[in-house]
Amino acid sequence: MFKKYLIIGFIIFASVIGLGTLSYAESSADKPFEFALIGDLPYSAEQEAKFPSLMADINRSPAAFVVHDGDIKNGSSVCDDATFVSRKQLFDNFEMPFILVYGDNEWTDCHRSNNGSYDPVERLAKLREIFSQGNQSLGKRTLTLTRQSENPQFAKFRENVRWIYHGVVFFAINMPGSNNNFGRTPEGDAEYADRNSANLAWIKECFALAKGSNSKGIMLVAQANPGFEFDPTDKRRSGYNDFIATLETETGNFPGQVVFVHGDTHYFRIDKPLPHFTDETQLPRMKNFTRVETFGSPNVHWLRAFYDPQNPNLFEFKQQIVPKN
């Protein structure tokens, strides 16, 4: 009889983790947890050599999952399939679920001659093929993702994903650096318009879901630094004006805390950049909005992120310096 129960117990256990899949239910369970944030890595052979120490440090932590906010290679290396495949193999060595957000170095900037003179749209399609198949994250244990592509209207945007963990809504959009692929060519502008429309719809949907489920917090992840400090007329943020306006409106209508995580400019910071202001117009900060920029090349470190429903800020962040790096 004891042996029979052991077999039954094993079958149940295997059905949950045998394939390394953790289906994190869209639950209202409100408990503290932590997770890891990285980005703009690895860029060079030296950083590839340091990356296993970073991974080991994260794997030893109690992080529920890891989010990489884009740029998995440097802006000068070739954008070939082999590089993408090798990065996927690398990221699958994380013990916990791993979510990747696309960066400009992976597709937007691949038209450059030193990158191989690729068509950026073709490279984006290849990223979707390699990194965004199925509804599971990367990593040894995986997390079930909701993809925007489940909506036939946005069928190709598989990289825009959402997951809910202990009642917190996490979601990601494909918004890369280099001005969001806007303003370089007519073909790029057409691609931007299509993707930007999808991104804005995904933002609104995720905020509506968070409000409808009484979520206390939202975390949005993208690769680009959208240039909060620039004036809306500045060409450097022309590809991000719609995003910033939508984010500010949705945050203003959300009763909980909102965190926007990005990489791109490799400058670790935590601040409150909304609304836009100048030295002459010092406007009150949006108290429920926080921007976090992750470490990036050449710094092979990570951010330890904490969620605590008893903390008025909900989210806290700790620099995790990897001693060997």
Side-chain angles (χ1 to χ4, degrees), residues 29 272 302:
K272 291 187 175 295
W302 60 288

Side-chain angles (χ1 to χ4, degrees), residues 9-22:
F10 176 77
I11 291 172
I12 294 172
F13 180 76
S15 70
V16 176
I17 67 168
L19 297 178
T21 299
L22 294 177

Side-chain angles (χ1 to χ4, degrees), residues 294-310:
T294 53
F295 286 109
S297 173
N299 303 295
V300 189
H301 308 301
W302 60 288
L303 289 184
R304 200 165 191 159
F306 302 87
Y307 171 82
D308 184 352
Q310 302 305 314

Side-chain angles (χ1 to χ4, degrees), residues 45-92:
E46 178 184 2
Q47 290 169 30
E48 288 177 4
K50 292 179 177 180
F51 201 85
S53 296
L54 171 74
M55 187 184 307
D57 205 45
I58 294 175
N59 283 341
R60 286 191 296 267
S61 78
F65 49 83
V66 185
V67 182
H68 188 304
D69 58 27
D71 274 9
I72 59 176
K73 56 180 281 300
N74 68 49
S76 301
S77 58
V78 176
C79 300
D80 60 351
D81 294 2
T83 299
F84 294 167
V85 171
S86 68
R87 289 295 190 261
K88 181 180 183 298
Q89 293 170 342
L90 178 65
F91 299 149
D92 273 333

Side-chain angles (χ1 to χ4, degrees), residues 175-180 222-245 247-248 260-265 269 271-278 285 289 291-293:
M175 187 180 75
S178 294
N179 202 32
N180 208 7
Q223 195 263 333
N225 178 348
F228 291 109
E229 70 277 17
F230 299 139
D231 189 84
T233 60
D234 194 309
K235 291 183 178 180
R236 288 173 291 181
R237 62 169 267 180
S238 59
Y240 306 112
N241 279 333
D242 290 347
F243 164 76
I244 293 174
L247 179 61
E248 186 169 348
F260 170 51
V261 176
H262 70 80
D264 189 20
T265 38
R269 71 184 104 194
D271 63 6
K272 291 187 175 295
L274 286 179
H276 173 76
F277 69 93
T278 65
R285 301 295 83 206
F289 179 77
R291 179 259 295 273
V292 176
E293 181 168 0

Side-chain angles (χ1 to χ4, degrees), residues 104-141:
D104 57 310
N105 290 354
E106 287 92 85
W107 71 277
T108 314
D109 297 339
C110 290
H111 62 88
R112 298 171 181 170
S113 58
N114 57 355
N115 285 344
S117 300
Y118 288 91
D119 174 7
V121 174
E122 183 277 331
R123 287 293 82 189
L124 176 54
K126 180 59 66 173
L127 286 173
R128 289 167 174 157
E129 177 185 322
I130 293 174
F131 290 101
S132 300
Q133 289 300 309
N135 292 327
Q136 299 301 314
S137 68
L138 305 180
K140 291 183 180 179
R141 300 194 307 274

Side-chain angles (χ1 to χ4, degrees), residues 27-55:
S27 160
S28 60
D30 208 8
K31 299 187 296 185
F33 63 93
E34 62 179 87
F35 52 99
L37 299 171
I38 62 175
D40 298 283
L41 291 169
Y43 268 33
S44 63
E46 178 184 2
Q47 290 169 30
E48 288 177 4
K50 292 179 177 180
F51 201 85
S53 296
L54 171 74
M55 187 184 307

